[in-house]
Amino acid sequence: TIKEQGGNNYRHFVSGGDQASDDGLELETSLRQALGQKQFQLYYQPQIDIVSGRVLGLEALLRWHHPTQGMIAPNRFIPLAEKTGLIIPIGEWVLREACSQVATQHGLKVAVNLSARQFHQKDLVAMIRRILDETGMPPANLELEITESALIYDVELAIATMEQLNDLGVSVSLDDFGTGYSSLSYLKRFPIDMLKIDKSFIDEVTTDPDSNVIVKTIIVMAHSLGLKVIAEGVETKEQLTMLREHGCDQAQGYLIARPLLCQEALEIAAQTFVVPTS
Ligand code: C2E
Ligand code: MG
Ligand code: MG
Ligand code: MG
């Protein structure tokens, strides 16, 4: 099967008449109605400073409450939203909702995921500026999370967009870092603020010597390039301890908190996570 990573490759493929694409068709019909019927909701996962345990930000994670299928995870509908272009209005809703829910929480950052197609939409920067104005969200408190797939489609455009975002005061994190194929060259070319080390490395950081070295090296390299590093998918105390010893700046994962409803996330954000000492 073709792995749909984002990007603009879909149009070159015709879907077969198998079970999966029938499901896709049905899903597409209901996805078209989801926004108007207010079926989307944001959950928020805290991101902590790995030394102090203070919550620095919340990552907004989209959930779809399907009328008959119940809650649908983003991995099942974001690729479809990308393919159909529905990601554009959905993505604008996510940005506005996240900014308005977190704007008045002084100092708290909010991280919003952008897929490849969103990142390349013509009026992205103008739209973000408008949303910041409308919601009162300070630009410095908005972080956009993009993956390498959003950068490879049109490198020059991506650089220009990131520079405009920088000028606006919005920061950019590279999500799922380490899973792409030419990560290192991007670090030099793109004005990125933070790397998010992919969960697949964090999973093995205490059990696999190779993953451990990779994580350690990513942190050292990022720091020498002036970037911050956050570990995603931290599930155990041992992982957190190891990451802190390696000098990782921030952490996010089920050990600290699962994605939560806004009110709950804001309550957690006012508390300090007790970072275990080894
Ligand atoms: P991501 O941005 O890499 O988000 C991290 C995913 O890992 C989230 O899954 C989160 O719930 C999950 N996670 C966090 N900590 C742990 C942990 O300790 N263990 C495990 N097993 N999982 C953990 P989720 O919410 O299902 O989102 C999946 C992906 O969907 C996201 O990956 C992101 O790429 C995309 N996504 C989510 N919301 C949006 C959105 O609003 N817009 C766009 N374009 N993409 C979104
Ligand atoms: Mg993310
Ligand atoms: Mg990620
Ligand atoms: Mg991921």
Side-chain angles (χ1 to χ4, degrees):
T1 55
I2 296 143
K3 202 172 171 216
E4 299 188 334
Q5 283 275 22
N8 277 27
N9 301 320
Y10 314 101
R11 61 197 157 144
H12 302 300
F13 302 99
V14 178
S15 39
D18 58 4
Q19 201 63 43
S21 68
D22 288 350
D23 171 62
L25 209 64
E26 232 173 82
L27 212 60
E28 183 175 332
T29 308
S30 35
L31 190 60
R32 289 190 184 282
Q33 302 164 347
L35 204 52
Q37 302 196 352
K38 300 189 188 306
Q39 290 166 3
F40 290 117
Q41 186 176 31
L42 292 183
Y43 274 60
Y44 294 93
Q45 189 178 37
Q47 303 178 320
I48 63 162
D49 177 289
I50 211 165
V51 176
S52 71
R54 288 187 48 198
V55 177
L56 302 178
L58 302 174
E59 179 177 4
L61 293 160
L62 185 57
R63 298 292 180 263
W64 177 18
H65 298 280
H66 188 280
T68 56
Q69 294 191 36
M71 187 141 94
I72 302 188
N75 288 336
R76 233 187 106 204
F77 69 86
I78 295 283
L80 184 63
E82 273 275 295
K83 187 168 109 179
T84 54
L86 289 166
I87 193 66
I88 301 300
I90 294 172
E92 179 166 355
W93 179 86
V94 169
L95 272 162
R96 182 170 285 108
E97 180 80 353
C99 287
S100 39
Q101 289 191 308
V102 182
T104 55
Q105 310 298 318
H106 299 288
L108 198 59
K109 293 189 163 200
V110 69
V112 173
N113 292 284
L114 290 189
S115 59
R117 192 155 173 176
Q118 289 178 273
F119 191 67
H120 289 292
Q121 73 189 93
K122 212 176 93 258
D123 58 350
L124 176 74
V125 178
M127 188 252 281
I128 289 173
R129 188 181 290 120
R130 200 166 59 235
I131 290 173
L132 293 172
D133 281 351
E134 281 170 21
T135 58
M137 167 66 79
N141 290 356
L142 177 62
E143 272 170 23
L144 302 175
E145 297 193 359
I146 58 172
T147 57
E148 284 167 45
S149 62
L151 301 178
I152 54 175
Y153 173 63
D154 183 339
V155 171
E156 297 313 317
L157 182 62
I159 292 175
T161 302
M162 289 174 92
E163 281 168 354
Q164 285 176 276
L165 290 169
N166 262 352
D167 291 345
L168 198 60
V170 169
S171 53
V172 178
S173 306
L174 202 51
D175 208 345
D176 303 340
F177 185 76
T179 58
Y181 42 87
S182 50
S183 315
L184 299 184
S185 67
Y186 292 122
L187 298 185
K188 243 188 84 167
R189 298 195 60 185
F190 294 98
I192 297 158
D193 302 282
M194 182 153 79
L195 296 187
K196 299 196 72 172
I197 305 180
D198 192 69
K199 181 180 187 309
S200 55
F201 299 106
I202 307 306
D203 283 342
E204 299 183 330
V205 74
T206 57
T207 52
D208 176 53
D210 292 340
S211 292
N212 191 284
V213 167
I214 290 170
V215 167
K216 204 162 147 180
T217 307
I218 291 174
I219 295 167
V220 169
M221 176 191 64
H223 284 166
S224 34
L225 292 168
L227 308 176
K228 296 266 183 219
V229 189
I230 181 167
E232 66 176 2
V234 177
E235 293 183 345
T236 70
K237 284 183 182 179
E238 291 71 25
Q239 289 165 355
L240 190 65
T241 305
M242 171 89 31
L243 288 160
R244 196 190 40 205
E245 280 167 6
H246 287 348
C248 189
D249 303 288
Q250 299 179 31
Q252 176 180 1
Y254 291 175
L255 174 71
I256 299 143
R258 292 193 172 242
L260 303 163
L261 286 170
C262 183
Q263 196 48 48
E264 225 180 332
L266 293 175
E267 279 162 28
I268 296 275
Q271 299 165 24
T272 298
F273 180 79
V274 181
V275 182
T277 44
S278 42

